[in-house]
């Protein structure tokens, strides 16, 4: 049941990473793979930037009767808050690019600039995804978020493989 799905959602991305990371390093090189790892880390860190709204949505939706006006208000309010936080986070990352350059964390290049731009554009989607997962879990629908976690985890490590075969750049 749910325990097996959760276990699979943790193991399959790990296996995909073990298989694909050597290829990704070979195609990108160590320095650019380091930047990719930094991007993955930032994306993971900013998933905490929902300030607990995703879990609060889970709790509130679970307390409401499914389809009730209270559930609808909680959903729309929570998702709008997360969208706003996502836009703010993206703007914050975009504004941080010059700081990353000045501290020597990144080298100024079109590839790094575009990579940070993609990261910044992804922030609203990341936080909205957290909110949508909270809503689904509040409704007692645990399979869809677990399945999404499997797909996204595998895609994180697996999608670069075919992309790098035809487009060997970080962005």
């Amino acid at each position: 049941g749910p325990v097996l799905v959760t276990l699979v959602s943790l193991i399959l991305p790990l296996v995909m990473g073990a298989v694909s990371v050597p290829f990704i390093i070979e195609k990108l090189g160590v320095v650019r793979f380091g930047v990719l790892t930094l991007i993955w880390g930032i994306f993971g860190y900013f998933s905490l930037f929902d300030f607990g709204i995703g879990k609060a949505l889970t709790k509130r939706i679970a307390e409401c009767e499914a389809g009730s006006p209270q559930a609808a208000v909680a959903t729309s309010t929570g998702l709008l808050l997360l969208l706003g936080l996502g836009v703010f986070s993206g703007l914050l990352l975009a504004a941080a690019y010059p700081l990353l350059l000045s501290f020597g964390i990144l080298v100024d290049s079109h590839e790094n600039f575009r990579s940070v731009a993609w990261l910044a554009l992804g922030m609203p989607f990341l936080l909205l995804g957290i909110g949508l997962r909270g809503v689904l879990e509040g409704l007692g629908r645990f399979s869809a978020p677990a399945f999404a976690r499997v797909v996204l985890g595998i895609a994180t490590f697996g999608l670069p493989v075919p992309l790098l075969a035809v487009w060997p750049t970080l962005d």
Side-chain angles (χ1 to χ4, degrees), residues 25 28-38 105-107 112 170:
I25 292 171
L28 285 179
V30 176
V31 172
R32 287 172 33 208
F33 180 74
V35 174
L36 177 61
T37 303
L38 179 66
I105 296 170
L106 289 178
V107 175
N112 285 342
L170 182 61

Side-chain angles (χ1 to χ4, degrees), residues 151-166:
V151 170
L152 291 173
I154 290 172
T156 297
F157 296 111
L159 194 56
V161 172
L163 289 176
L164 287 171
V166 295

Side-chain angles (χ1 to χ4, degrees), residues 92-113:
L92 187 66
L93 280 171
Y97 184 73
L99 289 173
L100 295 172
L101 297 177
S102 67
F103 287 122
I105 296 170
L106 289 178
V107 175
D108 193 17
S109 72
H110 292 296
E111 184 178 28
N112 285 342
F113 177 79

Side-chain angles (χ1 to χ4, degrees), residues 57-127:
L57 267 173
T58 301
K59 181 182 182 305
R60 182 65 181 136
I61 299 299
E63 292 172 345
C64 294
E65 186 178 323
S68 70
Q70 294 86 1
V73 168
T75 299
S76 61
T77 303
L79 293 179
L80 280 173
L81 277 170
L82 288 169
L83 178 62
L85 286 171
V87 169
F88 176 75
S89 300
L91 292 172
L92 187 66
L93 280 171
Y97 184 73
L99 289 173
L100 295 172
L101 297 177
S102 67
F103 287 122
I105 296 170
L106 289 178
V107 175
D108 193 17
S109 72
H110 292 296
E111 184 178 28
N112 285 342
F113 177 79
R114 287 189 305 264
S115 297
V116 171
W118 280 113
L119 179 64
L121 287 171
M123 285 298 117
F125 298 103
L126 170 69
L127 293 179

